Amino acid sequence: MRRLYFLVPAMFLAFVSAQAMADENRAVYPIPADVETIDGIVRAYFEVISTPAGGRPDQARDASLHAPGAQIRLSRQKPGVGPVLSVLTLEQLYEQFGGPQPKNHFEREIHRVTQRFGNIAHVWSTYVASDTRDGAPIDRGISSIHLYFDGKRWWITGWLDQAEYPGNPIPSDFLPPPVS
């Protein structure tokens, strides 16, 4: 019985310590570096959707980047139909694309044009997609990202994405300058 008096408190302390370590390892969003600057929020924007096969986009981190009510617009070329625009909430985006990814998908920014006035900014972000972090591009496009600074942090209020397709190449103004 005496052993039980020592064993129960020791088990309780071990449980509390394990719980504290788990809480300490859990990310707290937003991550300050993600929202303090335009560079930070655009970097995080691409990091949350870059996912290995079987993984899921980091929805909690992504949600911490977006203002309440943010709208997502996806412009796609549908064969035999033409341009099609989908307008989604962040929750609808997760319902459609937030599950386990069937294959590796990594996106990275290759060029940016930023326009800012006061507390608002517009970012034209040219990206490439590949099946490895720094792999050869298999797709590319431009995201038009709308940002708002509330005096403490940046928020994504919405974005519109256009993938490149035959007959609609990315204009040179939105590509990195040629390497000399």
Side-chain angles (χ1 to χ4, degrees), residues 150-171:
D150 69 4
K152 296 178 184 167
R153 58 155 294 172
W154 285 97
W155 294 92
I156 298 173
T157 61
W159 49 272
L160 172 65
D161 181 79
Q162 172 71 64
E164 183 179 50
Y165 57 87
N168 188 43
I170 294 175

Side-chain angles (χ1 to χ4, degrees), residues 91-107:
E91 292 75 22
Q92 291 168 327
L93 182 74
Y94 297 152
E95 287 171 16
Q96 287 188 27
F97 305 106
Q101 300 304 298
K103 57 185 181 178
N104 289 343
H105 179 83
F106 296 94
E107 288 186 15

Side-chain angles (χ1 to χ4, degrees), residues 24-130:
E24 187 177 298
N25 291 331
R26 187 176 303 129
V28 177
Y29 298 113
I31 297 169
D34 286 355
V35 297
E36 292 172 339
T37 65
I38 291 173
D39 286 341
I41 202 162
V42 172
R43 177 189 36 75
Y45 169 85
F46 285 106
E47 286 178 0
V48 297
I49 60 172
S50 294
T51 310
R56 296 173 183 262
D58 189 340
Q59 294 177 12
R61 184 178 179 197
D62 193 29
S64 77
L65 306 176
H66 288 78
Q71 284 194 333
I72 312 315
R73 296 171 192 87
L74 305 174
S75 175
R76 296 293 182 258
Q77 188 70 14
K78 203 168 196 176
V81 177
V84 176
L85 181 68
S86 300
V87 180
L88 308 165
T89 64
L90 202 55
E91 292 75 22
Q92 291 168 327
L93 182 74
Y94 297 152
E95 287 171 16
Q96 287 188 27
F97 305 106
Q101 300 304 298
K103 57 185 181 178
N104 289 343
H105 179 83
F106 296 94
E107 288 186 15
R108 64 187 181 277
E109 184 179 52
I110 60 167
H111 187 69
R112 182 187 311 168
V113 176
T114 303
Q115 299 165 314
R116 180 178 176 181
F117 175 69
N119 293 346
I120 62 173
H122 180 243
V123 174
W124 292 99
S125 182
T126 307
Y127 64 88
V128 295
S130 62

Side-chain angles (χ1 to χ4, degrees), residues 132-155:
T132 60
R133 288 205 185 277
D134 297 312
I138 55 175
D139 193 18
R140 62 186 198 168
I142 297 177
S143 290
S144 170
I145 308 167
H146 305 227
L147 301 171
Y148 173 71
F149 186 72
D150 69 4
K152 296 178 184 167
R153 58 155 294 172
W154 285 97
W155 294 92

Side-chain angles (χ1 to χ4, degrees), residues 1-11:
M1 187 71 164
R2 274 181 102 175
R3 283 189 177 161
L4 193 57
Y5 286 119
F6 293 106
L7 187 59
V8 170
M11 289 174 55

